Amino acid sequence: AAGVIQSPRHLIKEKRETATLKCYPIPRHDTVYWYQQGPGQDPQFLISFYEKMQSDKGSIPDRFSAQQFSDYHSELNMSSLELGDSALYFCASSLTAEAFFGQGTRLTVV
Amino acid sequence: GIQVEQSPPDLILQEGANSTLRCNFSDSVNNLQWFHQNPWGQLINLFYIPSGTKQNGRLSATTVATERYSLLYISSSQTTDSGVYFCAVGGKAAGNKLTFGGGTRVLVKP
């Protein structure tokens, strides 16, 4: 069965640089979520999209933005990166309530 | 927002032992999922169980929604069961986003 695809799997950026993370949801899923998991922490909700419209927003820094495109893939754009942005970033998708997670993008800011 | 508490925070098991992980939540939910995060960081769906009981091989789960708790049972544990187990809930007022508990870190020794 198709799963949620995230790219890249690993990313190393320097402070103040910009990063773009991509997410391809499971086909026919209408909702996409982004989560951030810091070292030793649980995943925290950032933002979600339903049918390409932003549906909910969590603790997402103003330096971050996201969108969902006409083909339903989503991108998380992160600017002015800080050391504290180093984390595992998950994308998830759902059709009903159950969410399915991608393998994550591990971002390291140096 | 919804509060999610998991216990115990850490669990060390001998291979072949059984264990019970608990998840308490503070409000009515319409979504409850159990995940296993393996050492590579992948979040693997174990159960979607907002209520009732389900079993999948050596794992089973029960959610008593009226009493706001869920239990995950691991029987005949194997070293591959090691990792962090997360409970995550979604409330009716919270849309479909998930709030994660702090996780239970499980180590199964051979």
Side-chain angles (χ1 to χ4, degrees), chain A residues 6 8-10 37-40 87-90 101-107, chain B residues 36-44 78-86 105-106:
Chain A
Q6 290 187 244
R9 293 289 310 280
H10 301 273
Q37 185 179 23
L88 194 51
Y89 290 84
F90 287 105
F101 282 70
Q103 293 182 305
T105 294
R106 189 173 296 279
L107 172 67
Chain B
H36 175 217
Q37 187 164 42
N38 64 23
W40 297 270
Q42 282 182 275
L43 274 174
I44 299 165
Q78 301 176 358
T79 56
T80 51
D81 295 331
S82 296
V84 182
Y85 290 79
F86 285 106
R105 186 173 302 274
V106 174

PDB file of all heavy atoms in Angstrom, chain A residues 6 8-10 37-40 87-90 101-107, chain B residues 36-44 78-86 105-106:
ATOM      1  N   GLN A   6       8.160  11.485   2.252  1.00  0.00           N
ATOM      2  CA  GLN A   6       8.777  12.760   2.605  1.00  0.00           C
ATOM      3  C   GLN A   6      10.166  12.838   1.980  1.00  0.00           C
ATOM      4  O   GLN A   6      10.875  11.838   1.880  1.00  0.00           O
ATOM      5  CB  GLN A   6       8.907  12.900   4.126  1.00  0.00           C
ATOM      6  CG  GLN A   6       7.578  13.080   4.829  1.00  0.00           C
ATOM      7  CD  GLN A   6       7.767  13.392   6.305  1.00  0.00           C
ATOM      8  OE1 GLN A   6       7.375  12.616   7.172  1.00  0.00           O
ATOM      9  NE2 GLN A   6       8.353  14.550   6.596  1.00  0.00           N
ATOM     10  N   PRO A   8      13.665  15.799   1.678  1.00  0.00           N
ATOM     11  CA  PRO A   8      14.630  14.709   1.745  1.00  0.00           C
ATOM     12  C   PRO A   8      14.527  13.958   3.066  1.00  0.00           C
ATOM     13  O   PRO A   8      13.788  14.382   3.950  1.00  0.00           O
ATOM     14  CB  PRO A   8      15.969  15.450   1.636  1.00  0.00           C
ATOM     15  CG  PRO A   8      15.706  16.759   2.308  1.00  0.00           C
ATOM     16  CD  PRO A   8      14.272  17.119   1.970  1.00  0.00           C
ATOM     17  N   ARG A   9      15.225  12.871   3.219  1.00  0.00           N
ATOM     18  CA  ARG A   9      15.218  12.144   4.487  1.00  0.00           C
ATOM     19  C   ARG A   9      16.142  12.809   5.504  1.00  0.00           C
ATOM     20  O   ARG A   9      15.859  12.792   6.703  1.00  0.00           O
ATOM     21  CB  ARG A   9      15.655  10.697   4.256  1.00  0.00           C
ATOM     22  CG  ARG A   9      14.672   9.874   3.419  1.00  0.00           C
ATOM     23  CD  ARG A   9      13.389   9.577   4.187  1.00  0.00           C
ATOM     24  NE  ARG A   9      13.647   9.037   5.505  1.00  0.00           N
ATOM     25  CZ  ARG A   9      13.945   7.763   5.741  1.00  0.00           C
ATOM     26  NH1 ARG A   9      14.045   6.907   4.732  1.00  0.00           N
ATOM     27  NH2 ARG A   9      14.160   7.335   6.977  1.00  0.00           N
ATOM     28  N   HIS A  10      17.215  13.354   5.018  1.00  0.00           N
ATOM     29  CA  HIS A  10      18.173  14.043   5.887  1.00  0.00           C
ATOM     30  C   HIS A  10      18.552  15.362   5.231  1.00  0.00           C
ATOM     31  O   HIS A  10      18.650  15.440   4.001  1.00  0.00           O
ATOM     32  CB  HIS A  10      19.434  13.192   6.095  1.00  0.00           C
ATOM     33  CG  HIS A  10      19.163  11.854   6.697  1.00  0.00           C
ATOM     34  ND1 HIS A  10      19.089  11.642   8.042  1.00  0.00           N
ATOM     35  CD2 HIS A  10      18.933  10.657   6.109  1.00  0.00           C
ATOM     36  CE1 HIS A  10      18.835  10.362   8.280  1.00  0.00           C
ATOM     37  NE2 HIS A  10      18.738   9.743   7.124  1.00  0.00           N
ATOM     38  N   GLN A  37       9.459  17.052  15.936  1.00  0.00           N
ATOM     39  CA  GLN A  37       9.867  16.287  17.105  1.00  0.00           C
ATOM     40  C   GLN A  37      11.319  16.620  17.452  1.00  0.00           C
ATOM     41  O   GLN A  37      12.246  16.221  16.735  1.00  0.00           O
ATOM     42  CB  GLN A  37       9.725  14.784  16.873  1.00  0.00           C
ATOM     43  CG  GLN A  37      10.027  13.960  18.113  1.00  0.00           C
ATOM     44  CD  GLN A  37       9.869  12.466  17.883  1.00  0.00           C
ATOM     45  OE1 GLN A  37       9.951  11.983  16.768  1.00  0.00           O
ATOM     46  NE2 GLN A  37       9.640  11.717  18.962  1.00  0.00           N
ATOM     47  N   GLY A  38      11.511  17.365  18.538  1.00  0.00           N
ATOM     48  CA  GLY A  38      12.851  17.662  19.011  1.00  0.00           C
ATOM     49  C   GLY A  38      13.477  16.451  19.676  1.00  0.00           C
ATOM     50  O   GLY A  38      12.783  15.477  20.002  1.00  0.00           O
ATOM     51  N   PRO A  39      14.777  16.484  19.904  1.00  0.00           N
ATOM     52  CA  PRO A  39      15.480  15.346  20.514  1.00  0.00           C
ATOM     53  C   PRO A  39      14.884  14.988  21.875  1.00  0.00           C
ATOM     54  O   PRO A  39      14.738  15.845  22.743  1.00  0.00           O
ATOM     55  CB  PRO A  39      16.918  15.865  20.654  1.00  0.00           C
ATOM     56  CG  PRO A  39      17.030  16.961  19.645  1.00  0.00           C
ATOM     57  CD  PRO A  39      15.682  17.592  19.557  1.00  0.00           C
ATOM     58  N   GLY A  40      14.524  13.722  22.038  1.00  0.00           N
ATOM     59  CA  GLY A  40      13.985  13.251  23.307  1.00  0.00           C
ATOM     60  C   GLY A  40      12.594  13.748  23.632  1.00  0.00           C
ATOM     61  O   GLY A  40      12.123  13.590  24.768  1.00  0.00           O
ATOM     62  N   ALA A  87      15.654  19.014  14.334  1.00  0.00           N
ATOM     63  CA  ALA A  87      14.574  18.134  14.795  1.00  0.00           C
ATOM     64  C   ALA A  87      14.212  17.172  13.684  1.00  0.00           C
ATOM     65  O   ALA A  87      14.714  17.270  12.560  1.00  0.00           O
ATOM     66  CB  ALA A  87      13.334  18.951  15.180  1.00  0.00           C
ATOM     67  N   LEU A  88      13.317  16.257  14.035  1.00  0.00           N
ATOM     68  CA  LEU A  88      12.716  15.350  13.058  1.00  0.00           C
ATOM     69  C   LEU A  88      11.374  15.958  12.678  1.00  0.00           C
ATOM     70  O   LEU A  88      10.561  16.286  13.561  1.00  0.00           O
ATOM     71  CB  LEU A  88      12.543  13.977  13.703  1.00  0.00           C
ATOM     72  CG  LEU A  88      12.242  12.750  12.864  1.00  0.00           C
ATOM     73  CD1 LEU A  88      13.211  12.608  11.714  1.00  0.00           C
ATOM     74  CD2 LEU A  88      12.278  11.511  13.753  1.00  0.00           C
ATOM     75  N   TYR A  89      11.144  16.153  11.410  1.00  0.00           N
ATOM     76  CA  TYR A  89       9.903  16.748  10.934  1.00  0.00           C
ATOM     77  C   TYR A  89       9.088  15.671  10.223  1.00  0.00           C
ATOM     78  O   TYR A  89       9.551  15.055   9.271  1.00  0.00           O
ATOM     79  CB  TYR A  89      10.188  17.918   9.988  1.00  0.00           C
ATOM     80  CG  TYR A  89      10.763  19.103  10.727  1.00  0.00           C
ATOM     81  CD1 TYR A  89      12.126  19.177  10.990  1.00  0.00           C
ATOM     82  CD2 TYR A  89       9.936  20.126  11.189  1.00  0.00           C
ATOM     83  CE1 TYR A  89      12.659  20.244  11.704  1.00  0.00           C
ATOM     84  CE2 TYR A  89      10.462  21.197  11.899  1.00  0.00           C
ATOM     85  CZ  TYR A  89      11.817  21.243  12.156  1.00  0.00           C
ATOM     86  OH  TYR A  89      12.338  22.299  12.866  1.00  0.00           O
ATOM     87  N   PHE A  90       7.883  15.489  10.731  1.00  0.00           N
ATOM     88  CA  PHE A  90       6.991  14.484  10.166  1.00  0.00           C
ATOM     89  C   PHE A  90       5.849  15.150   9.401  1.00  0.00           C
ATOM     90  O   PHE A  90       5.305  16.171   9.827  1.00  0.00           O
ATOM     91  CB  PHE A  90       6.358  13.618  11.266  1.00  0.00           C
ATOM     92  CG  PHE A  90       7.298  12.645  11.899  1.00  0.00           C
ATOM     93  CD1 PHE A  90       7.804  12.885  13.164  1.00  0.00           C
ATOM     94  CD2 PHE A  90       7.655  11.477  11.240  1.00  0.00           C
ATOM     95  CE1 PHE A  90       8.666  11.971  13.762  1.00  0.00           C
ATOM     96  CE2 PHE A  90       8.510  10.574  11.839  1.00  0.00           C
ATOM     97  CZ  PHE A  90       9.023  10.824  13.100  1.00  0.00           C
ATOM     98  N   PHE A 101       1.774   8.427   9.166  1.00  0.00           N
ATOM     99  CA  PHE A 101       2.943   9.278   9.167  1.00  0.00           C
ATOM    100  C   PHE A 101       3.987   8.839   8.145  1.00  0.00           C
ATOM    101  O   PHE A 101       4.153   7.642   7.882  1.00  0.00           O
ATOM    102  CB  PHE A 101       3.587   9.276  10.559  1.00  0.00           C
ATOM    103  CG  PHE A 101       2.871  10.156  11.547  1.00  0.00           C
ATOM    104  CD1 PHE A 101       1.616   9.807  12.024  1.00  0.00           C
ATOM    105  CD2 PHE A 101       3.433  11.342  11.977  1.00  0.00           C
ATOM    106  CE1 PHE A 101       0.938  10.621  12.919  1.00  0.00           C
ATOM    107  CE2 PHE A 101       2.766  12.162  12.877  1.00  0.00           C
ATOM    108  CZ  PHE A 101       1.517  11.800  13.346  1.00  0.00           C
ATOM    109  N   GLY A 102       4.683   9.823   7.582  1.00  0.00           N
ATOM    110  CA  GLY A 102       5.825   9.540   6.743  1.00  0.00           C
ATOM    111  C   GLY A 102       7.031   9.180   7.590  1.00  0.00           C
ATOM    112  O   GLY A 102       6.967   9.171   8.823  1.00  0.00           O
ATOM    113  N   GLN A 103       8.137   8.900   6.920  1.00  0.00           N
ATOM    114  CA  GLN A 103       9.336   8.467   7.622  1.00  0.00           C
ATOM    115  C   GLN A 103      10.092   9.621   8.260  1.00  0.00           C
ATOM    116  O   GLN A 103      11.007   9.391   9.036  1.00  0.00           O
ATOM    117  CB  GLN A 103      10.256   7.702   6.674  1.00  0.00           C
ATOM    118  CG  GLN A 103       9.668   6.376   6.222  1.00  0.00           C
ATOM    119  CD  GLN A 103      10.625   5.602   5.324  1.00  0.00           C
ATOM    120  OE1 GLN A 103      11.081   6.112   4.314  1.00  0.00           O
ATOM    121  NE2 GLN A 103      10.935   4.375   5.708  1.00  0.00           N
ATOM    122  N   GLY A 104       9.694  10.837   7.929  1.00  0.00           N
ATOM    123  CA  GLY A 104      10.297  11.995   8.565  1.00  0.00           C
ATOM    124  C   GLY A 104      11.498  12.537   7.810  1.00  0.00           C
ATOM    125  O   GLY A 104      12.150  11.829   7.038  1.00  0.00           O
ATOM    126  N   THR A 105      11.763  13.812   8.033  1.00  0.00           N
ATOM    127  CA  THR A 105      12.984  14.465   7.543  1.00  0.00           C
ATOM    128  C   THR A 105      13.773  14.903   8.766  1.00  0.00           C
ATOM    129  O   THR A 105      13.254  15.640   9.616  1.00  0.00           O
ATOM    130  CB  THR A 105      12.663  15.694   6.680  1.00  0.00           C
ATOM    131  OG1 THR A 105      12.014  15.286   5.481  1.00  0.00           O
ATOM    132  CG2 THR A 105      13.937  16.460   6.347  1.00  0.00           C
ATOM    133  N   ARG A 106      15.006  14.424   8.848  1.00  0.00           N
ATOM    134  CA  ARG A 106      15.853  14.826   9.981  1.00  0.00           C
ATOM    135  C   ARG A 106      16.658  16.043   9.569  1.00  0.00           C
ATOM    136  O   ARG A 106      17.519  15.965   8.689  1.00  0.00           O
ATOM    137  CB  ARG A 106      16.786  13.690  10.390  1.00  0.00           C
ATOM    138  CG  ARG A 106      17.524  13.965  11.695  1.00  0.00           C
ATOM    139  CD  ARG A 106      18.301  12.759  12.168  1.00  0.00           C
ATOM    140  NE  ARG A 106      17.443  11.630  12.503  1.00  0.00           N
ATOM    141  CZ  ARG A 106      16.784  11.468  13.648  1.00  0.00           C
ATOM    142  NH1 ARG A 106      16.903  12.396  14.600  1.00  0.00           N
ATOM    143  NH2 ARG A 106      16.054  10.401  13.877  1.00  0.00           N
ATOM    144  N   LEU A 107      16.332  17.191  10.176  1.00  0.00           N
ATOM    145  CA  LEU A 107      17.008  18.445   9.872  1.00  0.00           C
ATOM    146  C   LEU A 107      18.040  18.730  10.955  1.00  0.00           C
ATOM    147  O   LEU A 107      17.721  18.721  12.145  1.00  0.00           O
ATOM    148  CB  LEU A 107      16.002  19.594   9.813  1.00  0.00           C
ATOM    149  CG  LEU A 107      16.592  21.008   9.703  1.00  0.00           C
ATOM    150  CD1 LEU A 107      17.295  21.183   8.350  1.00  0.00           C
ATOM    151  CD2 LEU A 107      15.507  22.067   9.874  1.00  0.00           C
TER     152      LEU A 107
ATOM    153  N   HIS B  36       4.525   3.065  17.495  1.00  0.00           N
ATOM    154  CA  HIS B  36       5.831   2.600  17.929  1.00  0.00           C
ATOM    155  C   HIS B  36       6.863   3.395  17.131  1.00  0.00           C
ATOM    156  O   HIS B  36       6.833   3.395  15.888  1.00  0.00           O
ATOM    157  CB  HIS B  36       5.992   1.105  17.663  1.00  0.00           C
ATOM    158  CG  HIS B  36       7.353   0.569  17.970  1.00  0.00           C
ATOM    159  ND1 HIS B  36       7.970  -0.407  17.209  1.00  0.00           N
ATOM    160  CD2 HIS B  36       8.218   0.874  18.963  1.00  0.00           C
ATOM    161  CE1 HIS B  36       9.153  -0.680  17.727  1.00  0.00           C
ATOM    162  NE2 HIS B  36       9.321   0.078  18.797  1.00  0.00           N
ATOM    163  N   GLN B  37       7.743   4.085  17.849  1.00  0.00           N
ATOM    164  CA  GLN B  37       8.832   4.778  17.167  1.00  0.00           C
ATOM    165  C   GLN B  37      10.092   3.935  17.306  1.00  0.00           C
ATOM    166  O   GLN B  37      10.584   3.719  18.417  1.00  0.00           O
ATOM    167  CB  GLN B  37       9.069   6.186  17.738  1.00  0.00           C
ATOM    168  CG  GLN B  37      10.080   6.976  16.925  1.00  0.00           C
ATOM    169  CD  GLN B  37      10.059   8.458  17.208  1.00  0.00           C
ATOM    170  OE1 GLN B  37       9.948   8.888  18.350  1.00  0.00           O
ATOM    171  NE2 GLN B  37      10.167   9.265  16.164  1.00  0.00           N
ATOM    172  N   ASN B  38      10.567   3.448  16.179  1.00  0.00           N
ATOM    173  CA  ASN B  38      11.726   2.567  16.225  1.00  0.00           C
ATOM    174  C   ASN B  38      13.020   3.373  16.359  1.00  0.00           C
ATOM    175  O   ASN B  38      13.000   4.614  16.311  1.00  0.00           O
ATOM    176  CB  ASN B  38      11.737   1.640  15.008  1.00  0.00           C
ATOM    177  CG  ASN B  38      11.897   2.375  13.695  1.00  0.00           C
ATOM    178  OD1 ASN B  38      12.404   3.490  13.652  1.00  0.00           O
ATOM    179  ND2 ASN B  38      11.450   1.750  12.620  1.00  0.00           N
ATOM    180  N   PRO B  39      14.142   2.706  16.567  1.00  0.00           N
ATOM    181  CA  PRO B  39      15.401   3.435  16.776  1.00  0.00           C
ATOM    182  C   PRO B  39      15.801   4.320  15.592  1.00  0.00           C
ATOM    183  O   PRO B  39      16.639   5.207  15.759  1.00  0.00           O
ATOM    184  CB  PRO B  39      16.403   2.303  17.014  1.00  0.00           C
ATOM    185  CG  PRO B  39      15.587   1.188  17.582  1.00  0.00           C
ATOM    186  CD  PRO B  39      14.271   1.274  16.864  1.00  0.00           C
ATOM    187  N   TRP B  40      15.252   4.115  14.443  1.00  0.00           N
ATOM    188  CA  TRP B  40      15.547   4.950  13.282  1.00  0.00           C
ATOM    189  C   TRP B  40      14.596   6.145  13.175  1.00  0.00           C
ATOM    190  O   TRP B  40      14.700   6.929  12.255  1.00  0.00           O
ATOM    191  CB  TRP B  40      15.483   4.117  11.987  1.00  0.00           C
ATOM    192  CG  TRP B  40      16.534   3.046  11.998  1.00  0.00           C
ATOM    193  CD1 TRP B  40      17.808   3.125  11.545  1.00  0.00           C
ATOM    194  CD2 TRP B  40      16.373   1.723  12.533  1.00  0.00           C
ATOM    195  NE1 TRP B  40      18.458   1.930  11.756  1.00  0.00           N
ATOM    196  CE2 TRP B  40      17.607   1.061  12.358  1.00  0.00           C
ATOM    197  CE3 TRP B  40      15.322   1.035  13.144  1.00  0.00           C
ATOM    198  CZ2 TRP B  40      17.808  -0.247  12.779  1.00  0.00           C
ATOM    199  CZ3 TRP B  40      15.528  -0.273  13.562  1.00  0.00           C
ATOM    200  CH2 TRP B  40      16.757  -0.902  13.369  1.00  0.00           C
ATOM    201  N   GLY B  41      13.696   6.267  14.120  1.00  0.00           N
ATOM    202  CA  GLY B  41      12.809   7.420  14.172  1.00  0.00           C
ATOM    203  C   GLY B  41      11.467   7.249  13.491  1.00  0.00           C
ATOM    204  O   GLY B  41      10.621   8.140  13.576  1.00  0.00           O
ATOM    205  N   GLN B  42      11.261   6.145  12.827  1.00  0.00           N
ATOM    206  CA  GLN B  42       9.983   5.928  12.142  1.00  0.00           C
ATOM    207  C   GLN B  42       8.842   5.781  13.130  1.00  0.00           C
ATOM    208  O   GLN B  42       8.980   5.070  14.129  1.00  0.00           O
ATOM    209  CB  GLN B  42      10.046   4.659  11.296  1.00  0.00           C
ATOM    210  CG  GLN B  42      10.774   4.805   9.991  1.00  0.00           C
ATOM    211  CD  GLN B  42      10.708   3.485   9.220  1.00  0.00           C
ATOM    212  OE1 GLN B  42      11.517   2.596   9.434  1.00  0.00           O
ATOM    213  NE2 GLN B  42       9.731   3.378   8.352  1.00  0.00           N
ATOM    214  N   LEU B  43       7.716   6.431  12.841  1.00  0.00           N
ATOM    215  CA  LEU B  43       6.503   6.290  13.635  1.00  0.00           C
ATOM    216  C   LEU B  43       5.607   5.275  12.945  1.00  0.00           C
ATOM    217  O   LEU B  43       5.071   5.538  11.869  1.00  0.00           O
ATOM    218  CB  LEU B  43       5.766   7.621  13.734  1.00  0.00           C
ATOM    219  CG  LEU B  43       6.181   8.590  14.825  1.00  0.00           C
ATOM    220  CD1 LEU B  43       5.440   9.899  14.666  1.00  0.00           C
ATOM    221  CD2 LEU B  43       5.944   8.004  16.209  1.00  0.00           C
ATOM    222  N   ILE B  44       5.441   4.143  13.581  1.00  0.00           N
ATOM    223  CA  ILE B  44       4.684   3.052  12.970  1.00  0.00           C
ATOM    224  C   ILE B  44       3.321   2.951  13.645  1.00  0.00           C
ATOM    225  O   ILE B  44       3.226   2.869  14.871  1.00  0.00           O
ATOM    226  CB  ILE B  44       5.461   1.740  13.111  1.00  0.00           C
ATOM    227  CG1 ILE B  44       6.797   1.875  12.380  1.00  0.00           C
ATOM    228  CG2 ILE B  44       4.650   0.553  12.573  1.00  0.00           C
ATOM    229  CD1 ILE B  44       7.792   0.820  12.714  1.00  0.00           C
ATOM    230  N   GLN B  78       9.809  -9.183  22.356  1.00  0.00           N
ATOM    231  CA  GLN B  78      11.008  -9.501  21.590  1.00  0.00           C
ATOM    232  C   GLN B  78      11.893  -8.267  21.533  1.00  0.00           C
ATOM    233  O   GLN B  78      11.415  -7.138  21.726  1.00  0.00           O
ATOM    234  CB  GLN B  78      10.625  -9.950  20.177  1.00  0.00           C
ATOM    235  CG  GLN B  78       9.724 -11.172  20.165  1.00  0.00           C
ATOM    236  CD  GLN B  78       9.270 -11.568  18.777  1.00  0.00           C
ATOM    237  OE1 GLN B  78       9.598 -10.911  17.785  1.00  0.00           O
ATOM    238  NE2 GLN B  78       8.514 -12.654  18.679  1.00  0.00           N
ATOM    239  N   THR B  79      13.166  -8.472  21.240  1.00  0.00           N
ATOM    240  CA  THR B  79      14.104  -7.331  21.206  1.00  0.00           C
ATOM    241  C   THR B  79      13.671  -6.287  20.184  1.00  0.00           C
ATOM    242  O   THR B  79      13.921  -5.096  20.355  1.00  0.00           O
ATOM    243  CB  THR B  79      15.534  -7.805  20.912  1.00  0.00           C
ATOM    244  OG1 THR B  79      15.547  -8.544  19.693  1.00  0.00           O
ATOM    245  CG2 THR B  79      16.052  -8.699  22.039  1.00  0.00           C
ATOM    246  N   THR B  80      12.999  -6.729  19.137  1.00  0.00           N
ATOM    247  CA  THR B  80      12.525  -5.789  18.113  1.00  0.00           C
ATOM    248  C   THR B  80      11.370  -4.908  18.601  1.00  0.00           C
ATOM    249  O   THR B  80      10.984  -3.961  17.922  1.00  0.00           O
ATOM    250  CB  THR B  80      12.072  -6.540  16.853  1.00  0.00           C
ATOM    251  OG1 THR B  80      11.151  -7.570  17.244  1.00  0.00           O
ATOM    252  CG2 THR B  80      13.264  -7.169  16.146  1.00  0.00           C
ATOM    253  N   ASP B  81      10.839  -5.225  19.778  1.00  0.00           N
ATOM    254  CA  ASP B  81       9.791  -4.381  20.368  1.00  0.00           C
ATOM    255  C   ASP B  81      10.385  -3.137  21.033  1.00  0.00           C
ATOM    256  O   ASP B  81       9.645  -2.236  21.440  1.00  0.00           O
ATOM    257  CB  ASP B  81       8.973  -5.151  21.404  1.00  0.00           C
ATOM    258  CG  ASP B  81       8.175  -6.294  20.803  1.00  0.00           C
ATOM    259  OD1 ASP B  81       7.797  -6.190  19.620  1.00  0.00           O
ATOM    260  OD2 ASP B  81       7.946  -7.287  21.513  1.00  0.00           O
ATOM    261  N   SER B  82      11.691  -3.090  21.160  1.00  0.00           N
ATOM    262  CA  SER B  82      12.331  -1.929  21.780  1.00  0.00           C
ATOM    263  C   SER B  82      12.029  -0.655  20.998  1.00  0.00           C
ATOM    264  O   SER B  82      11.843  -0.683  19.774  1.00  0.00           O
ATOM    265  CB  SER B  82      13.844  -2.140  21.869  1.00  0.00           C
ATOM    266  OG  SER B  82      14.148  -3.229  22.706  1.00  0.00           O
ATOM    267  N   GLY B  83      11.994   0.441  21.724  1.00  0.00           N
ATOM    268  CA  GLY B  83      11.703   1.724  21.093  1.00  0.00           C
ATOM    269  C   GLY B  83      10.805   2.529  22.011  1.00  0.00           C
ATOM    270  O   GLY B  83      10.647   2.221  23.183  1.00  0.00           O
ATOM    271  N   VAL B  84      10.206   3.573  21.453  1.00  0.00           N
ATOM    272  CA  VAL B  84       9.310   4.425  22.227  1.00  0.00           C
ATOM    273  C   VAL B  84       7.885   4.222  21.724  1.00  0.00           C
ATOM    274  O   VAL B  84       7.630   4.249  20.519  1.00  0.00           O
ATOM    275  CB  VAL B  84       9.696   5.909  22.108  1.00  0.00           C
ATOM    276  CG1 VAL B  84       8.774   6.762  22.980  1.00  0.00           C
ATOM    277  CG2 VAL B  84      11.146   6.115  22.517  1.00  0.00           C
ATOM    278  N   TYR B  85       6.984   4.018  22.658  1.00  0.00           N
ATOM    279  CA  TYR B  85       5.572   3.853  22.338  1.00  0.00           C
ATOM    280  C   TYR B  85       4.828   5.134  22.689  1.00  0.00           C
ATOM    281  O   TYR B  85       4.875   5.586  23.830  1.00  0.00           O
ATOM    282  CB  TYR B  85       4.989   2.656  23.092  1.00  0.00           C
ATOM    283  CG  TYR B  85       5.521   1.347  22.566  1.00  0.00           C
ATOM    284  CD1 TYR B  85       6.782   0.887  22.938  1.00  0.00           C
ATOM    285  CD2 TYR B  85       4.788   0.590  21.660  1.00  0.00           C
ATOM    286  CE1 TYR B  85       7.289  -0.300  22.432  1.00  0.00           C
ATOM    287  CE2 TYR B  85       5.289  -0.596  21.149  1.00  0.00           C
ATOM    288  CZ  TYR B  85       6.541  -1.028  21.539  1.00  0.00           C
ATOM    289  OH  TYR B  85       7.055  -2.201  21.027  1.00  0.00           O
ATOM    290  N   PHE B  86       4.172   5.694  21.691  1.00  0.00           N
ATOM    291  CA  PHE B  86       3.415   6.924  21.890  1.00  0.00           C
ATOM    292  C   PHE B  86       1.919   6.646  21.773  1.00  0.00           C
ATOM    293  O   PHE B  86       1.479   5.920  20.886  1.00  0.00           O
ATOM    294  CB  PHE B  86       3.777   7.975  20.839  1.00  0.00           C
ATOM    295  CG  PHE B  86       5.113   8.638  21.047  1.00  0.00           C
ATOM    296  CD1 PHE B  86       6.187   8.326  20.234  1.00  0.00           C
ATOM    297  CD2 PHE B  86       5.280   9.586  22.043  1.00  0.00           C
ATOM    298  CE1 PHE B  86       7.415   8.946  20.412  1.00  0.00           C
ATOM    299  CE2 PHE B  86       6.509  10.212  22.234  1.00  0.00           C
ATOM    300  CZ  PHE B  86       7.571   9.878  21.411  1.00  0.00           C
ATOM    301  N   ARG B 105       9.395   4.601  26.974  1.00  0.00           N
ATOM    302  CA  ARG B 105      10.597   4.061  26.326  1.00  0.00           C
ATOM    303  C   ARG B 105      10.781   2.637  26.805  1.00  0.00           C
ATOM    304  O   ARG B 105      10.968   2.395  28.002  1.00  0.00           O
ATOM    305  CB  ARG B 105      11.813   4.902  26.693  1.00  0.00           C
ATOM    306  CG  ARG B 105      13.086   4.522  25.955  1.00  0.00           C
ATOM    307  CD  ARG B 105      14.219   5.524  26.257  1.00  0.00           C
ATOM    308  NE  ARG B 105      13.833   6.871  25.890  1.00  0.00           N
ATOM    309  CZ  ARG B 105      13.978   7.390  24.683  1.00  0.00           C
ATOM    310  NH1 ARG B 105      14.509   6.663  23.721  1.00  0.00           N
ATOM    311  NH2 ARG B 105      13.621   8.636  24.442  1.00  0.00           N
ATOM    312  N   VAL B 106      10.734   1.691  25.866  1.00  0.00           N
ATOM    313  CA  VAL B 106      10.814   0.265  26.185  1.00  0.00           C
ATOM    314  C   VAL B 106      12.134  -0.310  25.689  1.00  0.00           C
ATOM    315  O   VAL B 106      12.521  -0.081  24.530  1.00  0.00           O
ATOM    316  CB  VAL B 106       9.633  -0.502  25.541  1.00  0.00           C
ATOM    317  CG1 VAL B 106       9.790  -1.997  25.743  1.00  0.00           C
ATOM    318  CG2 VAL B 106       8.308  -0.014  26.118  1.00  0.00           C
TER     319      VAL B 106
END
